Amino acid sequence: MNVLIIGNGGREHALAWKIKQSSLCDQLFVAPGNAGTASLAKNVSIAADNFPDLAKFALGNSIGLIVVGPEGPLVKGIRDYFQADSLLKHILLVGPGQSGARLEGSKDFSKQFMLRNNVPTARAKTFSSHQLQESFKFVETFKPPIVLKADGLAAGKGVIICSSVSEAKDNLREMLEGKKFGEASAKVLVEEFLDGIELSVFVLTDGEDYVILPEAKDYKRIGDNDEGPNTGGMGAVSPVVFADADFMKKVEEKVIQPTITGLKDERIPYRGFIFIGLMNVGGEPFVIEYNARMGDPETEVVMPRIKGDFLELLIATALGKLKGKSTSVSSEYAVTIFMVSGGYPADFEKGKKISGLTAETEALTFYAGTKLVNDEVFSDGGRVIAVTGLGSTLEIAREKAYARVATINWDGAYNRADIGLDLQRLEDNRK
Ligand code: AMP
Ligand code: GLY
């Protein structure tokens, strides 16, 4: 089968790497892809949200399956676009339609969905621009920190954690009246702060049945010890020590099952990934958010731990035939370190030549914001290279990842030095 992956990040490189290993994969394409996907697949220069050109390409190249990486095309309705056309509707696609993608595209919708379906989540209320005074009154019922969330997609920047009531009010005014995040903050959720450790759980579902993929912990802040501003993700670890069988049983029974049942009850068809962002609060899972896709950099630790044919599982998902399917997971640890451009997540320079990529190494190297110029790799974004180390212990996986990071360089390259250290300490304490 010919497969088309949509997207251009480290996530899509890791998906391409895994899918390429399948005996079911004939030709593999990535649109638009990056310098890393170019070495495994054929990059196609079409933007992720250009549905007419993607459709033309899919028909012209006998694409049997499309895997949608990022949320943008899902929220914009790529599945609906293909389904509405008699020539395109037979092409299999992993990713929900617009109705399902609202789980990610609207934080108000996803909160109401959780409440309707008894999925444990933080207390919250949604306000629109004419409700500023009501939102202020609601804020006063909380003890800080207070969480504000723009309802719509805001490129990962729509969540603000405020350390005082007055800071929350200032931000509410900017979001609701000043449209700080444009239309995305036309509505804002005021939410209770959950104090715990975060965990990302991934599910593949065809809307009836589901397969749980390996969990991961993402490191969101730019600096060591979780200091500084939020980023798209500076590293990830899988497995996660506190996600033991007891905790995962709670996640399955209290979160995953009610979510899938809720989709069915509300007649929301769903064939794709659900990424559940959870907080472990005193041993109980609470949902922070749903995403309608895989995470990045989580995919770079999840894919290497999945054994067997992942493409077969993706095809079964898209066909609605997940019943009876499962996946086996390696007991190895995976640690991903993201190398980013100096200055990220604020202003940074692009176009720096990257050295050391061809060094002999035991780690996997996934490319994100990169481009090829005359066969040389240059930085082309904030998050540039994700390196994944694998090992029988967390310590070994970390060492392999950091050894690989040490071989790669460009002007201004930066990475966190502490990815996985907190989990290693937790493991040591449990011994
Ligand atoms: P999001 O953009 O929804 O991924 O949220 C960004 C980050 O904000 C999350 O990864 C959490 O670290 C944090 N966050 C969101 N909601 C809450 C909450 N209710 N309590 C504590 N932290 C939160
Ligand atoms: N790493 C978080 C995300 O992909 O949203």
Side-chain angles (χ1 to χ4, degrees):
M1 179 181 281
N2 291 348
V3 179
L4 171 64
I5 299 173
I6 294 178
N8 64 350
R11 166 182 51 212
E12 286 74 22
H13 190 178
L15 285 168
W17 171 81
K18 186 66 189 167
I19 288 170
K20 183 78 182 179
Q21 293 168 25
S22 165
S23 58
L24 300 172
C25 182
D26 294 321
Q27 284 183 282
L28 181 62
F29 301 93
V30 188
N34 62 36
T37 59
S39 66
L40 287 170
K42 194 166 181 314
N43 283 351
V44 183
S45 168
I46 304 175
D49 63 351
N50 182 349
F51 301 166
D53 282 5
L54 289 170
K56 227 182 286 167
F57 179 84
L59 285 176
N61 291 276
S62 310
I63 298 296
L65 176 79
I66 297 178
V67 181
V68 185
E71 64 279 13
L74 295 170
V75 171
K76 200 176 159 191
I78 189 168
R79 173 181 281 278
D80 311 74
Y81 184 92
F82 275 71
Q83 282 298 305
D85 187 312
S86 58
L87 287 176
L88 300 172
K89 67 194 300 184
H90 71 279
I91 299 175
L92 298 176
L93 190 142
V94 175
Q98 246 177 337
S99 63
R102 279 182 303 171
L103 282 186
E104 172 161 9
S106 166
K107 298 220 187 276
D108 180 43
F109 174 83
S110 72
K111 180 66 67 176
Q112 302 313 324
F113 177 90
M114 288 179 230
L115 296 174
R116 283 194 297 273
N117 293 291
N118 294 318
V119 175
T121 185
R123 178 168 76 100
K125 212 165 164 175
T126 306
F127 299 93
S128 23
S129 54
H130 63 277
Q131 294 173 306
L132 194 64
Q133 295 310 320
E134 282 140 279
S135 75
F136 284 4
K137 280 204 191 102
F138 189 64
V139 158
E140 284 162 8
T141 68
F142 283 94
K143 204 167 91 249
I146 299 161
V147 182
L148 305 181
K149 294 186 172 179
D151 171 54
L153 290 184
K157 298 197 172 103
V159 175
I160 304 179
I161 300 182
C162 306
S163 50
S164 70
V165 168
S166 67
E167 188 188 334
K169 287 180 178 174
D170 289 346
N171 275 299
L172 272 169
R173 192 186 296 281
E174 279 180 36
M175 290 168 93
L176 286 171
E177 286 193 337
K179 298 264 165 76
K180 182 170 183 161
F181 300 109
E183 273 311 300
S185 65
K187 285 196 268 180
V188 175
L189 275 76
V190 177
E191 181 164 306
E192 166 195 19
F193 180 82
L194 297 170
D195 196 4
I197 321 183
E198 246 175 288
L199 177 71
S200 305
V201 171
F202 302 96
V203 178
L204 252 181
T205 182
D206 60 6
E208 289 283 334
D209 296 286
Y210 61 86
V211 171
I212 304 176
L213 305 178
E215 78 287 351
K217 181 175 190 284
D218 178 20
Y219 293 76
K220 289 207 159 71
R221 303 296 189 105
I222 187 73
D224 286 357
N225 304 314
D226 285 332
E227 281 172 11
N230 258 330
T231 69
M234 295 296 292
V237 173
S238 179
V240 179
V241 53
F242 63 81
D244 52 20
D246 273 359
F247 185 74
M248 289 308 286
K249 185 163 182 277
K250 285 184 192 168
V251 171
E252 184 165 7
E253 289 173 357
K254 296 183 181 185
V255 176
I256 296 173
Q257 285 166 358
T259 298
I260 306 293
T261 307
L263 289 170
K264 265 195 286 196
D265 289 350
E266 300 191 14
R267 303 203 188 305
I268 300 172
Y270 203 109
R271 292 184 180 177
F273 295 102
I274 308 180
F275 159 175
I276 306 167
L278 289 173
M279 197 69 92
N280 173 349
V281 184
E284 288 296 319
F286 286 82
V287 176
I288 293 178
E289 63 171 352
Y290 291 115
N291 295 304
R293 54 173 173 86
M294 285 299 290
D296 191 358
E298 290 97 325
T299 306
E300 291 92 311
V301 286
V302 170
M303 289 303 132
R305 293 194 61 228
I306 292 177
K307 292 205 233 169
D309 192 330
F310 193 57
L311 178 55
E312 189 189 333
L313 211 55
L314 293 174
I315 295 170
T317 303
L319 282 171
K321 292 193 172 160
L322 262 189
K323 197 179 184 68
K325 297 276 182 198
S326 61
T327 187
S328 97
V329 173
S330 154
S331 60
E332 276 194 314
Y333 284 78
V335 173
T336 289
I337 321 289
F338 236 120
M339 301 181 71
V340 307
S341 297
Y344 172 82
D347 293 343
F348 56 83
E349 289 179 18
K350 298 197 272 196
K352 307 286 185 192
K353 192 173 153 190
I354 303 173
S355 64
L357 286 166
T358 53
E360 287 283 322
T361 166
E362 279 187 78
L364 297 163
T365 307
F366 297 116
Y367 295 28
T370 51
K371 69 173 174 202
L372 275 180
V373 182
N374 300 329
D375 288 337
E376 289 186 317
V377 184
F378 289 80
S379 67
D380 194 35
R383 294 193 299 165
V384 179
I385 299 279
V387 164
T388 301
L390 294 164
S392 55
T393 66
L394 180 50
E395 199 173 0
I396 295 171
R398 278 191 86 238
E399 276 169 12
K400 286 190 183 168
Y402 277 106
R404 173 57 169 152
V405 164
T407 72
I408 301 174
N409 200 20
W410 68 90
D411 180 22
Y414 165 79
N415 59 270
R416 274 180 66 161
D418 68 338
I419 303 299
L421 265 190
D422 56 338
L423 295 182
Q424 209 168 304
R425 281 192 207 110
L426 266 180
E427 284 206 354
D428 292 344
N429 288 343
R430 284 192 170 204
K431 277 176 198 157

